Amino acid sequence: MTTVLLAPLDPVHDNAIKLLRRKLEAAGYTALTMPPGVTEEEVIALALQERPAAILVSRTLGYKVAETLGHLVDLAEAAGLRPSTRLGVGGMAITQETGAELGFDGCFVGALNMDEVIAFIEGRPQQARQQTAEAAPRPKPDLTEGFTYAFRDEKIARLLDSITEQLLEWVKDKQSPGIERARLRAELLTETNPNSRAALLERYLSFCDAEIQSFYRQGKLPSGVRRLEAEEIARAPQRLNPPMPAFESLRHNRQKPLFFAQYGTGCPIMDAAHVRIAEAWGIDGVLHFDPSWGAQREGLLEGLLTHEHDGTIITFENLHFIRSFMNPATLWNVRGHRGLNTPETQVLAHAAGADLLKINIPYGSTGGGTDPERLAVDGVYSVRLASEFGLPFDIPGNDELSGVPPHKTFAGLLVMVMLGLKLGARPIPKPLLCYSPYMTIEGLMDDNYVDMNVAKLRVWSEIVDAPIWPGEPIGFMTHTPERVQSALTTAIHAALASSCGAAAATIASSDEAYSKGPISGPARVDTLRATREMLRFFGQATISPTPRAAELQAQLHADIRSTLEKIAARGDFVAAIYEGLLGDPSDGLYPGRTGRGSIQTRP
Amino acid sequence: MSAMQHVLDALDLETFLVCQNEAEAKELALNLAAELGLSHADVVFVEQSGLGARVRIRSYIHHPGQGYGWLKEETA
């Protein structure tokens, strides 16, 4: 058994030595420890007696560091220990520079990393260990694993069955330009014959807006858009693919939730940089956000394109480029839940390697979104694609941010859950943890942010056994431009999601409430760092709401059922959206208008 | 390549300004950015209380979609 000598060259502090002893013994080493206040001569005397593979000394106090440690190195040299015994040093008073200047073989700075310590004892290069950790594949998590999707509220299940049967019957004979393009895009992705490709492209363009047609026919880029230059593309891998540290989860000792971050700086290169930063700080997955204008035009562009506005343009090349920089274990979602290109987005996302899709008919067809009739047709087709691709799809519930009460939003999410299940897909509802306008107006969160958010998560487990993913992002409308406050509110909402057993959560950057510029790299680190610290603080401990949470949960459950009863009684899901049963103008919600009149009924 | 070219995107400057009110704090913050040679600076956050104001000033060294200094070839 390999022997290691541990000595605190410090008059008082030996916590690090005790911790090291426990961990080294657990790893199968014989760890000999000395008490605080030991002299350098005593350390060397014991080393000559025991002949350890390594001497690890720690130093916390900052005075006489160089004299004390330098003396130890000199004594080890004079005693002839150096060829057989490696000398390592760590502790609060030590920097990499100090350790190297004094002649130590190894220097340990920052949090204890046992892999690093063991590599040192065994004489393996530390850099090699780091690269091995990066190269070692992590399993890709499955958010839906272990969930049965069995409905626990049978009345709600019957209502959803009725609503979704009607919707499926209604879309059966309907067609849209979006669906036509999705089919053609799928063919274009695999067709290699130039003549056949040209013919397919012409058909594709017959379903596109004029601006998209002029891009393909005349090479005219939309305003503010440029192609990435060859030099930029060539240099990106060198800058964005450095050796990465071993992945360290944010979750401390929990398995859930998985944490996601959104990106969409407008530029694929900057996106890749942001993804790499998020990965290095412990993110499990990322979501691609596209520009809002992309949702309002019929047709998508091609090529590696960048622009100086929010949201990164969806093209196969952009998606593929960004994906190529991600760790293979990073879960990747491409937003396509609203807009005229919803089906085609699913096709491109799947082709580029997405792990999750995003579809929500009621939310996507309100506010500045798509006409409800159009998105109902495109949305059902997109859910079919998710099923065909074998990919889960998540269902954002962000209509709450317009002022919609959660029971109406959740009713819409539930319709999408049942629709997904009927079509063989794996849906993931995303209730928001937020301080929404409805809560502000009604005063339902005046006392605390815990009770209502707990009610909003727990009500789901009363209804259906499905993974719950609070997003997008958690803590919406609690953030301010003050970065400490912003990071803290994200972290505490992450702890709440974790405490409630959420399968995943989407976290913002500390730039969430700053609207005058793009999200910055350091702002991403802020919230990842804060979330890690918060989850370390809580560990397996949970957050207890007040008794008010149970009352809110019961009311929410009853209101969800009541909303679904009204929709089922209406007998027409699309009409229910138009008529505001899932949110009306008094809730700040209006039916979307984009793509109105574009649905065709097949004879 | 200068250190500034290694800034990924935004450069934030946080400090406490001794001043009378938020309006003065904003003006001082932007003047400070100009004195430090930071172009197109913006005040991300300002909060005045008592003695002065806590401020965060931001300047985008590399705006997404533009060219990035850190992507260019290193020159001696």
Side-chain angles (χ1 to χ4, degrees), chain A residues 226 232 235-236 239 265 267 269-270 273-274 277 306-308 481-484 511 514 516-518 520-521, chain B residues 1 6 8-10 14 42-45 54 56 58 60 62-68 70-74:
Chain A
R226 72 170 175 91
E232 294 175 296
R235 290 222 171 105
R239 274 288 182 216
T265 63
C267 173
I269 291 175
M270 189 62 89
H274 277 233
I277 290 170
T306 184
H307 67 157
E308 294 179 31
E482 203 285 296
R483 76 183 185 94
V484 177
D511 275 344
Y514 177 61
K516 291 190 281 180
S520 71
Chain B
M1 190 189 296
H6 285 263
L8 176 77
D9 41 26
E14 288 185 339
D42 184 32
V43 179
V44 175
F45 171 76
R54 180 166 176 240
R56 182 154 62 109
R58 171 169 294 183
Y60 285 94
H62 295 118
H63 195 287
Q66 296 177 342
Y68 311 122
W70 45 264
L71 200 58
K72 295 191 174 120
E73 200 164 12
E74 295 269 7

Side-chain angles (χ1 to χ4, degrees), chain A residues 41-185:
Chain A
E41 286 79 3
E42 288 169 321
V43 174
I44 296 302
L46 186 57
L48 284 169
Q49 185 184 317
E50 298 292 340
R51 293 286 171 180
I55 301 172
L56 298 175
V57 297
S58 72
R59 178 79 182 188
T60 300
L61 294 182
Y63 69 92
K64 290 191 176 177
V65 171
E67 293 94 318
T68 306
L69 297 176
H71 188 212
L72 179 82
V73 172
D74 291 344
L75 288 175
E77 193 81 50
L81 280 169
R82 297 303 297 264
S84 59
T85 301
R86 295 166 66 73
L87 282 183
V89 64
M92 295 288 282
I94 306 301
T95 64
Q96 289 288 359
E97 293 75 18
T98 312
E101 283 168 12
L102 293 173
F104 281 85
D105 300 309
C107 186
F108 303 94
V109 178
L112 177 62
N113 181 328
M114 281 311 291
D115 289 341
E116 201 178 338
V117 172
I118 288 171
F120 171 75
I121 293 168
E122 302 292 342
R124 296 197 306 267
Q126 291 170 31
Q127 183 64 25
R129 179 201 62 76
Q130 205 171 51
Q131 285 171 345
T132 303
E134 163 74 358
R138 278 186 287 133
K140 185 169 281 194
D142 178 359
L143 277 170
T144 63
E145 189 179 1
F147 293 94
T148 63
Y149 285 102
F151 273 85
R152 294 174 178 136
D153 184 319
E154 291 180 5
K155 182 162 187 190
I156 283 183
R158 283 196 296 277
L159 291 167
L160 291 171
D161 182 61
S162 159
I163 293 165
T164 49
E165 280 301 315
Q166 182 276 325
L167 174 60
L168 289 170
E169 183 62 26
W170 182 82
V171 301
K172 205 163 62 177
D173 58 352
K174 294 185 173 57
Q175 186 60 279
S176 82
I179 293 174
E180 295 287 0
R181 283 198 309 276
R183 290 182 176 137
L184 290 163
R185 179 63 71 181

Side-chain angles (χ1 to χ4, degrees), chain B residues 44-60:
Chain B
V44 175
F45 171 76
V46 57
E47 185 175 52
Q48 166 86 25
S49 188
L51 181 67
R54 180 166 176 240
V55 294
R56 182 154 62 109
I57 308 158
R58 171 169 294 183
S59 173
Y60 285 94

